[in-house]
Amino acid sequence: MAGAIAVVMFIALIISPFMGQMLISTQIQVDEGEPEELQAVQMQPQSIGALRVDVKAIIPTNRWVTYEIQLRDQQDQVIASALKDAWAESGTWYEEGESGTWQEEDLLSGLDVRALQPEALTITLDVLSYTTSAGVDVDESVTFNVQVRNGVVDTRYLWAGLVGAIAMVVLAAISVPLTGDRVISKWIGDSDVGDRALMGGANRLVRVTVKVKSDETSPRHLTIKLFVKDGNGEQIYARDFPVTLRFIRNKERELIGASASLCKFFILEPRSSYGFYVEVVPDNPVDSTHLIVRDRAKTQGSVDVIHLRANEW
């Protein structure tokens, strides 16, 4: 489910930039104390997206401008507003005999509004103050780039959803193999290992994991022989599983060992004491074998299950 959510979030991020419809794209000049109105826009209720007003001030370096964006309805009532302190500055830095220049700016602001009913709105820009970085008033018009789009999706929430879903995928990938009660965990520095524990029952998944480590003389393939015995010690399952080794090299690219693993799922009925036994062949290169059995295990998806009923063997 977490993976499906991540895919949906990713698709939404891809298509969201194409969902908005451009209503206004213009450049206007505004004098301090003399608000300027743009043409009215017609808003319609939408299940997805909102009306977005993006405004960017175009000012020279080392200037500050405070401006306000207002959305007014047909009764000239303010239904939404935003106040912005925009600035653009540059300078020179000196440090340990070295010097250079820097330039920074923060000029963009905007509004997102969703309509509950069809409505015509008027956008107003008002310059409240325009000064130099030293605080000296500037008696000039301020230029603004204005874009108004309808049906725009705020992708910040989609990014948050995508990051959260990916985190859940990673968490599931790490945690799901560790779910259930570890009823057997037997390690031996040899090729044969086995142990017995109470487990199984209807609709209770048993995960069996075998981890093998061997030396650099190992062949490419090993065979893991897996046996299961019931509470009376009678063998109810036996099968050979060929596995491919993953060789390990050091920094000098020299072979220092190899490893392999096997994972199988069982449903054992009835709930009782069962023994799991492993034999790895050939056994000469095997350094260690680790048998782990988890009762009431979970999986990330569908898996092949070996269903054993002790009285039917």
Side-chain angles (χ1 to χ4, degrees), residues 91-155:
T92 305
W93 59 267
Y94 301 91
E95 183 177 353
E96 298 179 354
E98 297 183 354
S99 63
T101 60
W102 59 269
Q103 185 170 352
E104 296 180 352
E105 62 182 27
D106 181 12
L107 304 171
L108 184 64
S109 67
L111 282 172
D112 281 359
V113 181
R114 294 195 66 184
L116 299 179
Q117 59 186 10
E119 190 171 10
L121 298 180
T122 301
I123 302 169
T124 302
L125 285 180
D126 188 10
V127 174
L128 305 181
S129 68
Y130 186 28
T131 66
T132 65
S133 298
V136 180
D137 289 337
V138 177
D139 186 16
E140 296 176 2
S141 299
V142 181
T143 302
F144 294 94
N145 286 336
V146 182
Q147 286 189 342
V148 182
R149 291 174 293 167
N150 199 25
V152 175
V153 177
D154 192 341
T155 57

Side-chain angles (χ1 to χ4, degrees), residues 205-313:
L205 193 64
V206 175
R207 179 195 294 263
V208 179
T209 305
V210 181
K211 298 180 180 180
V212 179
K213 290 186 178 180
S214 59
D215 60 29
E216 65 278 5
T217 65
S218 300
R220 173 66 63 177
H221 304 284
L222 294 176
T223 299
I224 296 178
K225 297 177 177 289
L226 180 62
F227 309 91
V228 182
K229 296 183 180 181
D230 64 11
N232 298 320
E234 297 292 332
Q235 182 172 291
I236 60 174
Y237 180 80
R239 185 171 175 183
D240 296 349
F241 296 97
V243 294
T244 302
L245 289 171
R246 181 179 63 88
F247 287 94
I248 304 170
R249 299 178 182 270
N250 58 17
K251 294 182 179 179
E252 287 74 29
R253 305 300 297 168
E254 297 175 341
L255 286 175
I256 59 175
S259 65
S261 63
L262 174 71
C263 182
K264 293 297 176 181
F265 296 91
F266 291 82
I267 292 180
L268 304 173
E269 295 186 72
R271 181 171 178 80
S272 179
S273 173
Y274 292 91
F276 283 83
Y277 302 91
V278 171
E279 179 184 350
V280 184
V281 292
D283 59 354
N284 290 334
V286 176
D287 291 334
S288 67
T289 307
H290 191 184
L291 170 65
I292 303 171
V293 180
R294 293 181 179 272
D295 192 25
R296 296 188 300 179
K298 305 293 182 183
T299 67
Q300 296 173 342
S302 60
V303 295
D304 292 330
V305 177
I306 302 167
H307 200 154
L308 298 180
R309 293 182 175 88
N311 58 353
E312 293 183 0
W313 179 262

Side-chain angles (χ1 to χ4, degrees), residues 37 71-79 117-122:
E37 290 187 357
L71 295 182
R72 296 177 176 268
D73 60 16
Q74 291 176 307
Q75 288 74 40
D76 203 33
Q77 298 295 315
V78 177
I79 64 170
Q117 59 186 10
E119 190 171 10
L121 298 180
T122 301

